[in-house]
Each structure stands twice: as C-alpha cells, then as structure tokens.
C-alpha cells in the first residue's frame, strides 16, 4: 500500500511510519519542512506527484497537531485560536480536499485523524483547543460521507493524550494515566484495514475505553 503520513517528523508520525514500513508498505512522510500544508496549491502538488509516481494512495494519516490552553475561559487568547485553526483545521482541509479523489479510487483506502476527548467535554480553559478539534471531527465526517459507497473510509481515533518513550524518559515517575502510547495508536490505525470500509467509515473509535 501507499501511505501518506502528514506530521511525520514527530514521535507519533515516526511510530506510524515505522509500523507501516515494517509491514511492507510504502510510506511517504511529510512535515512542515517538506510541504507547507497551509498552502492549498502546494498540497495539491503533493497529491499530483504521488499519483504520478505511485499511481494511487491507500492511506492518509493526518497527524498535524498542536495544543494551547488558558487558565480560565475569560483568559482564552484568540491568537491561540488562530494558531489552532491553522494547525488542526486548515491543514486538514487542504489535505483532505487534495486527496479525496485518490481515496475514492482506492480499493481499500483509509483517511485518519486523531482527535481528543476534550472535543466531547471541553474544559473552561480549553475552549480554543476543543473547538478546533470538534471542527476537525466535523470536517472528517463530511469527508466520510463523500467516501460512502467506495472502498475507502474516513475515521476519527479519539485519545485523551498521546505518550511516547521520550516523554516517559523525561518524567520517569509519571503514570500518564489514560494516555495512548504512539505505538498502540499506530497498531489501531493499521487495524482499520482489517475491517470493511463501510464498518469504520464515519466512526469515532475511542482508544481510551
């Protein structure tokens, strides 16, 4: 399979890329140094290049993220909203719009984003983050509707937060209760291919349960 991983430079992107490569798939990993995902034309150029060089796309794992919070609701900075809008929503919009036609043509394609429990139960100081995550979920569900009836699916994976080995090494006494390990996330993404597209399309899979 041909798998695109956006936000591939971080620990989560590395874990997901490693998972698919170890299972014999071709991974195209991009980060902000490779392609400006805020540039619609540049993202379309990426999609055109992948189609030209590889003939298809079987997976898009969108891992561009970010977090901002405030001490209280009234202290929320709309500058944080602007930042999170770009990171969590605009990049998603550009990537999904560019790759939807390729996913529609795939026999077994998957589009995946990682959302947060905060989108369901926002805290007072987490308004900007929760609202951005909720918007990203709604956008992904619209993509899922577009893929309905095809061999592809768009799925939302929900976590409390993610944890990786570097975080554990930095805070060896921390328990990271309820966090999802990035390698477990990678396996959950891979597992989406073991289920029919219609079964996972438009679903929110809670990895904290």
């Amino acid at each position: 399979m041909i798998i695109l991983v956006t936000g591939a430079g971080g620990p989560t992107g590395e874990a997901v890329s490693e998972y698919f490569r170890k299972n014999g798939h071709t991974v195209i990993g991009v980060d902000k140094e490779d392609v400006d995902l805020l540039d619609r034309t540049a993202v379309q150029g990426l999609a055109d290049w992948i189609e030209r060089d590889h003939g298809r796309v079987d997976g898009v794992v969108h891992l561009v993220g970010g977090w901002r919070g405030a001490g209280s609701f009234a202290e929320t900075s709309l500058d944080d909203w602007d930042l999170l809008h770009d990171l969590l929503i605009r990049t998603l919009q550009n990537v999904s719009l560019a790759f939807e036609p390729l996913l529609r043509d795939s026999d077994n394609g998957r589009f995946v984003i990682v959302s947060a429990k905060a989108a369901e139960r926002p805290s007072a100081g987490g308004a900007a983050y929760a609202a951005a995550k909720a918007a990203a979920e709604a956008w992904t569900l619209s993509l899922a509707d577009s893929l309905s009836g095809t061999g592809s699916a768009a799925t939302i994976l929900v976590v409390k937060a993610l944890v990786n080995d570097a975080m554990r090494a930095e805070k060896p006494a921390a328990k990271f209760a309820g966090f999802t390990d990035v390698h477990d996330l990678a396996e959950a993404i891979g597992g989406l291919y073991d289920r029919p597209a219609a079964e996972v399309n438009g679903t929110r899979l809670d990895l904290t349960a």
Side-chain angles (χ1 to χ4, degrees):
M1 295 190 298
I2 309 298
I3 308 294
L4 171 68
V5 178
T6 59
T12 307
E14 291 172 356
V16 172
S17 298
E18 177 187 18
Y19 173 88
F20 281 104
R21 288 194 180 105
K22 285 175 64 175
N23 283 278
H25 306 299
T26 298
V27 176
I28 301 165
V30 298
D31 214 341
K32 58 185 178 181
E33 290 80 10
D34 304 305
V35 179
D36 181 3
L37 298 181
L38 293 174
D39 184 333
R40 177 75 174 86
T41 301
V43 177
Q44 186 61 55
L46 173 65
D48 294 343
W49 170 76
I50 292 175
E51 182 178 24
R52 186 170 59 250
D53 278 32
H54 298 277
R56 68 184 197 278
V57 163
D58 303 301
V60 178
V61 184
H62 187 63
L63 299 175
V64 177
W67 182 86
R68 289 291 187 278
S72 69
F73 182 82
E75 293 174 295
T76 298
S77 169
L78 293 183
D79 288 339
D80 288 346
W81 165 257
D82 292 340
L83 174 70
L84 293 170
H85 172 272
D86 283 350
L87 288 174
L88 304 182
I89 304 171
R90 183 65 74 199
T91 63
L92 168 64
Q93 292 172 326
N94 288 340
V95 170
S96 58
L97 289 170
F99 283 90
E100 187 262 5
L102 289 174
L103 289 167
R104 289 182 62 82
D105 289 341
S106 174
D107 293 333
N108 192 30
R110 299 291 183 270
F111 186 98
V112 184
I113 69 164
V114 180
S115 191
K117 297 290 284 185
E120 303 170 38
R121 301 185 64 181
S123 65
Y129 176 75
K133 281 293 190 182
E137 287 196 17
W139 186 272
T140 302
L141 293 176
S142 292
L143 171 62
D145 187 54
S146 174
L147 296 176
S148 179
T150 73
S152 293
T155 306
I156 300 161
L157 299 184
V158 181
V159 302
K160 175 182 178 181
L162 294 171
V163 62
N164 57 66
D165 292 341
M167 292 168 62
R168 290 193 180 94
E170 184 178 344
K171 297 182 178 180
K175 296 187 181 300
F176 298 104
F179 284 35
T180 300
D181 188 276
V182 293
H183 296 289
D184 293 334
L185 175 73
E187 290 188 9
I189 294 170
L192 295 174
Y193 287 92
D194 298 329
R195 300 167 62 181
E199 186 177 304
V200 295
N201 189 40
T203 59
R204 298 175 75 255
L205 302 182
D206 191 340
L207 300 186
T208 70

